[in-house]
Amino acid sequence: MTKDVIALTPKMPDTAALLVALAAGGTELDAASAADGAVIQLLGAGGRPLVSVEAPVLVQVPGETERLLGTPARVPVWWTETRASTAVPEAADLAGAVAGRLAEVLGGLVWPPEAGRVTAVPVTSEASAAPAPVGALPTVDVVTESTAVVLADRPVIPLTAWLSDVLRTTTGFGAALHIVTPAHCRLSLPLRTVLTGAPNRWVVQDPEGGYYDGLSGAVLSWQDGTFAAARDAAGQPRAAAAFVRADGAEAGEHRLTVQFRTEHPAEGELLLGRSVEAAWRALTGEPPAGWGTAEPVNLPWSPRQLTDLARSRVPEPTLLTVVGTGALAVVRVTRTAAGVEEDVTLTLGYGPGDQAPLDALPALAGTLADGHGLVSMLASAGPGGRDLNVSPRLGRPPLPVAFALGGAGVAEATLTHARRPPLALRPATIGPARRPGLYYPLGDGNDPAGWDTLSTLLAHLRTTV
């Protein structure tokens, strides 16, 4: 497995500290920069990267180190990742020595704690002298014509800036990204969002041998330079027993997920993030704690800074992660011909004895329709770990509890038609009287028929009158 070692320090790792850290292994190695200077690499005799040191990130959001590493740390804290090549046996110890020396020089700690040993690491492996394969991405473990394979082993696999860059690069080449982990690892919700299915995959090592897809459960095998579904005699994919086996680790824990889209005119005074904050306050009583374009989320909550970043990236879309106590949102900001869209998926986690605030949903829909340009909203509830991470096993899907349609959608369907779905429910009027939206209650999250109800409702709203 790729050995990731992280130094968490109260002081910034400046050039002098990095030079001391890079010499921690006690071996004469060359250093070079990569990724436009954002990564420093220690190179073997043949120029093969042994260890990469990411640009330090100042994390100012409480709880991020505990969310991703299980290790609490006082903020602000500098997060510096070192990543070892799996091609060279000594690289993992060398990465630990680099991170350990940073923590020793600047004060702080190393994750995992046992990795931060500052000892001499002689690099004698023949692999270290071999040149890096042509076209290899920095510290990506295997690269074929069709696939980049990253090996990872940490409690939560986050969408780091480095991994986001790897995904962008492979997508630009028309290649797939496959992240291979042991079965005890989980994905963060932002990483799950960008791994939208084949050709990209989460490949899990089956404890009983072999591999399976951590999101679909399909048994996988290495075929022609990529992981692909293994099929039975009838040509159908097979499900891994480890994926469908329940272990009860999250018994009683549950989630509420609210997905909504808002649309705004592309005006100079537009302030993005206000709808996210409104939803957060309605469902938690607090504003979000922080935001960022990668994990760990490092910036305190600021709709103004969020807006400035999204505006600087136009016409490209911007994917953001927003965090706070017990909740996480993934936000995609897109410039369209009609204006600016915000697609938000806000997920909240609860323990066995907690109740999700379903009674707050009608008012939330009204707030979004009244002042935030609501297009539509869907709320669903179901089982899931309150830590909001994704486990590689089959879970019961969530069930819809409410749907809302903004004023533009209601006007398109006509108010009279939209008010009269062929269902035993009465929608409530929301938003401004001059252009009202509608809120449709669909259940309490316990009735499997909720999806049929939603399907019937959407078919009715699409029907021309």
Side-chain angles (χ1 to χ4, degrees):
M1 284 292 143
T2 298
K3 190 66 173 180
D4 298 337
V5 187
I6 299 164
L8 301 170
T9 60
K11 299 178 183 178
M12 178 182 177
D14 57 14
T15 302
L18 286 172
L19 288 174
V20 171
L22 291 171
T27 302
E28 292 293 330
L29 296 172
D30 292 328
S33 64
D36 296 325
V39 178
I40 298 176
Q41 295 180 325
L42 284 177
L43 306 177
R48 177 184 286 273
L50 306 180
V51 172
S52 68
V53 183
E54 304 289 321
V57 175
L58 179 60
V59 178
Q60 305 173 68
V61 181
E64 276 299 271
T65 62
E66 189 165 9
R67 179 175 75 88
L68 296 176
L69 302 177
T71 299
R74 181 179 299 177
V75 295
V77 64
W78 288 91
W79 174 305
T80 307
E81 293 217 17
T82 63
R83 182 170 296 104
S85 167
T86 52
V88 180
E90 300 91 343
D93 288 339
L94 188 60
V98 171
R101 180 56 60 86
L102 273 180
E104 182 180 75
V105 171
L106 302 173
L109 52 91
V110 172
W111 180 93
E114 67 275 9
R117 294 173 295 184
V118 184
T119 58
V121 183
V123 181
T124 59
S125 170
E126 293 183 3
S128 68
V134 176
L137 297 167
T139 63
V140 170
D141 298 284
V142 177
V143 179
T144 71
E145 291 184 359
S146 64
T147 306
V149 179
V150 172
L151 308 180
D153 185 359
R154 52 205 282 183
V156 179
I157 314 299
L159 181 60
T160 62
W162 168 79
L163 196 53
S164 182
D165 286 341
V166 171
L167 180 59
R168 268 194 301 272
T169 301
T170 55
T171 300
F173 288 151
L177 172 62
H178 289 182
I179 301 173
V180 182
T181 76
H184 63 78
C185 297
R186 294 161 292 155
L187 299 189
S188 71
L189 280 179
L191 181 54
R192 167 64 183 91
T193 299
V194 300
L195 287 181
T196 52
N200 300 322
R201 290 190 187 275
W202 177 18
V203 181
V204 179
Q205 292 180 313
D206 193 328
E208 299 177 2
Y211 300 89
Y212 66 93
D213 190 300
L215 302 177
S216 71
V219 173
L220 302 175
S221 62
W222 185 254
Q223 307 172 33
D224 300 322
T226 192
F227 283 99
R231 301 184 180 275
D232 59 21
Q236 299 299 312
R238 297 181 287 115
F243 181 79
V244 300
R245 185 185 302 125
D247 60 10
E250 301 166 350
E253 297 183 4
H254 54 112
R255 298 177 183 176
L256 172 64
T257 300
V258 182
Q259 300 168 279
F260 60 89
R261 174 177 294 179
T262 61
E263 188 174 79
H264 321 277
E267 300 171 341
E269 63 271 20
L270 173 64
L271 195 62
L272 299 171
R274 292 174 56 248
S275 62
V276 181
E277 181 171 340
W280 215 286
R281 289 184 181 275
L283 299 175
T284 71
E286 301 175 359
W291 73 284
T293 57
E295 297 177 283
V297 171
N298 63 317
L299 298 171
W301 178 244
S302 171
R304 170 52 58 195
Q305 292 181 355
L306 185 158
T307 302
D308 290 344
L309 174 71
R311 183 173 286 125
S312 72
R313 293 186 170 190
V314 171
E316 295 300 318
T318 298
L319 184 70
L320 304 168
T321 297
V322 182
V323 297
T325 303
L328 185 147
V330 178
V331 182
R332 184 179 293 275
V333 179
T334 308
R335 182 71 165 90
T336 68
V340 180
E341 287 186 354
E342 291 179 282
D343 285 290
V344 179
T345 300
L346 170 60
T347 307
L348 306 96
Y350 303 96
D354 300 328
Q355 295 294 322
L358 302 185
D359 56 353
L361 293 174
L364 169 58
T367 298
L368 295 176
D370 195 38
H372 298 281
L374 177 68
V375 176
S376 62
M377 182 187 91
L378 173 64
S380 57
R386 66 184 303 173
D387 62 8
L388 305 181
N389 297 313
V390 180
S391 299
R393 61 176 179 270
L394 181 65
R396 197 193 82 189
L399 297 170
V401 296
F403 177 77
L405 190 63
V410 170
E412 183 177 350
T414 76
L415 181 58
T416 300
H417 181 73
R419 274 177 168 167
R420 298 177 179 176
L423 297 164
L425 58 85
R426 296 177 63 86
T429 302
I430 58 173
R434 66 183 182 279
R435 201 177 195 190
L438 291 173
Y439 174 87
Y440 301 86
L442 301 177
D444 60 1
N446 293 311
D447 184 1
W451 285 116
D452 292 332
T453 301
L454 176 63
S455 178
T456 299
L457 172 62
L458 295 179
H460 173 76
L461 293 173
R462 288 192 294 263
T463 301
T464 304
V465 296

